[in-house]
């Protein structure tokens, strides 16, 4: 973890010092136990797979969705993808065995307004989001059925189909996002890397920005933690380990890339 400059706020300098002085094993354990880990498995789940290893294939990938070098490096997105106003279809859904509204229209609009402000600030005004919020739609299968599926993006695919049936053509939007109550054993947030598609189960601006960050081509912000302070070349890579980045373990009040 690179320490902040001397001009950085005192809180950041103290946090950087704490990270560097923490033994690697302890640091890894702290990250793994973070209660708001944005896209790891839901709390209480034994599933430790990286549910976000979904890469949209480029022209030379061969197989759509095949994890490639883009999985572990920051994909340089085309200028057109990260500039201008991006339309977002926000699809509110629930299940045949759970009709409760997962998020109200006003709360969904507030969530997307927070995301818009985040991207506007981080892009110096070059990128903004404009969301259209759907009525509450019902997915075709009960929640327990989706919990048993290996495809974590199946609810998103079914939400897109339900939206089109209701007259919302997902192809007409730059981005889309499904929001439902949480599904047992599934991550609270998912996002395709370098492609369209976000699945949310938590009303949190930081989580939403993390997942849309994947859509814009970003992977997780990791940390290199030295085995011993000052000993070069030995250590571990801690996924999500960057405490200053929304694509890592950045706290809500930080919200930065």
């Amino acid at each position: 973890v690179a320490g902040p400059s001397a001009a950085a706020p005192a809180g950041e300098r103290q946090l950087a010092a704490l990270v560097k002085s923490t033994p690697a094993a302890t640091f890894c354990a702290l990250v793994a136990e973070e209660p708001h880990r944005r896209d790891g498995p839901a709390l209480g789940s034994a599933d430790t797979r990286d549910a976000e290893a979904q890469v949209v294939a480029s022209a030379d990938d061969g197989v759509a969705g095949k994890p490639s070098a883009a999985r572990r490096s920051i994909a340089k997105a085309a200028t057109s993808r990260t500039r201008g106003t991006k339309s977002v279809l926000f699809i509110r859904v629930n299940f045949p065995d759970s009709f409760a509204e997962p998020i109200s229209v006003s709360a969904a609009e507030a969530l997307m307004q927070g995301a818009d402000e985040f991207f506007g600030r981080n892009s110096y005004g070059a990128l903004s989001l404009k969301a259209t919020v759907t009525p509450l739609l019902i997915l075709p299968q009960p929640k327990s059925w989706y919990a048993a599926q290996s495809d974590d993006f199946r609810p998103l695919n079914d939400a897109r189909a339900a939206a089109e049936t209701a007259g919302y053509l997902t192809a007409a939007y730059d981005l889309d996002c499904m929001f439902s109550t949480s599904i047992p054993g599934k991550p609270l947030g998912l996002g395709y890397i370098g492609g369209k598609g976000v699945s949310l189960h938590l009303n949190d601006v930081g989580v939403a920005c993390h997942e849309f960050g994947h859509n814009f081509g970003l992977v997780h912000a990791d940390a290199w933690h030295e085995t011993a302070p000052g000993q070069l070349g030995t250590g571990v890579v801690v996924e999500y380990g960057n405490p200053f980045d929304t694509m890592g373990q950045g706290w809500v009040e930080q919200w930065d890339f």
Side-chain angles (χ1 to χ4, degrees), residues 14 58 74 116 168 215 246:
Q14 292 169 0
S58 63
I74 295 179
D116 172 55
Y168 296 88
N215 283 184
T246 294

Side-chain angles (χ1 to χ4, degrees), residues 10-53:
E12 290 190 12
R13 294 199 302 273
Q14 292 169 0
L15 181 56
L18 175 62
V19 170
K20 288 187 69 65
S21 64
T22 303
T26 302
F27 187 75
C28 290
L30 288 172
V31 171
E33 293 173 3
E34 166 62 46
H36 298 295
R37 182 176 177 180
R38 292 188 172 127
D39 30 44
L43 297 180
S45 168
D47 184 0
T48 58
R49 293 175 298 114
D50 180 357
E52 286 187 326

Side-chain angles (χ1 to χ4, degrees), residues 53-55 61 63-71:
Q54 303 281 344
V55 179
D61 270 341
V63 180
K66 177 183 177 182
S68 65
R71 180 66 188 92

Side-chain angles (χ1 to χ4, degrees), residues 119-150:
F119 284 106
R121 183 169 64 251
N122 276 267
S123 67
Y124 296 93
L127 174 65
S128 63
L129 303 179
K130 183 177 181 181
T132 297
V133 180
T134 72
L136 182 61
L137 306 174
I138 304 300
L139 296 181
Q141 303 294 339
K143 183 183 292 189
S144 58
W145 186 89
Y146 290 104
Q149 304 306 303
S150 60

Side-chain angles (χ1 to χ4, degrees), residues 101-225:
E101 189 176 52
I103 187 171
S104 67
V105 171
S106 60
E109 291 173 342
L111 175 63
M112 292 307 301
Q113 181 179 350
D116 172 55
E117 292 172 355
F118 169 87
F119 284 106
R121 183 169 64 251
N122 276 267
S123 67
Y124 296 93
L127 174 65
S128 63
L129 303 179
K130 183 177 181 181
T132 297
V133 180
T134 72
L136 182 61
L137 306 174
I138 304 300
L139 296 181
Q141 303 294 339
K143 183 183 292 189
S144 58
W145 186 89
Y146 290 104
Q149 304 306 303
S150 60
D151 181 4
D152 291 337
F153 283 96
R154 181 59 187 269
L156 172 61
N157 294 333
D158 286 354
R160 286 169 167 170
E164 296 211 1
T165 299
Y168 296 88
L169 301 180
T170 58
Y173 295 84
D174 299 308
L175 302 167
D176 58 10
C177 169
M178 180 212 83
F179 193 106
S180 78
T181 52
S182 61
I183 300 173
K186 300 299 182 181
L188 296 177
L190 290 170
Y192 281 103
I193 299 173
K196 172 180 176 178
V198 162
S199 189
L200 292 176
H201 309 287
L202 182 68
N203 184 3
D204 181 273
V205 176
V207 174
C209 293
H210 177 107
E211 304 307 343
F212 282 117
H214 282 315
N215 283 184
F216 288 124
L218 296 176
V219 294
H220 292 147
D222 301 340
W224 175 258
H225 199 278

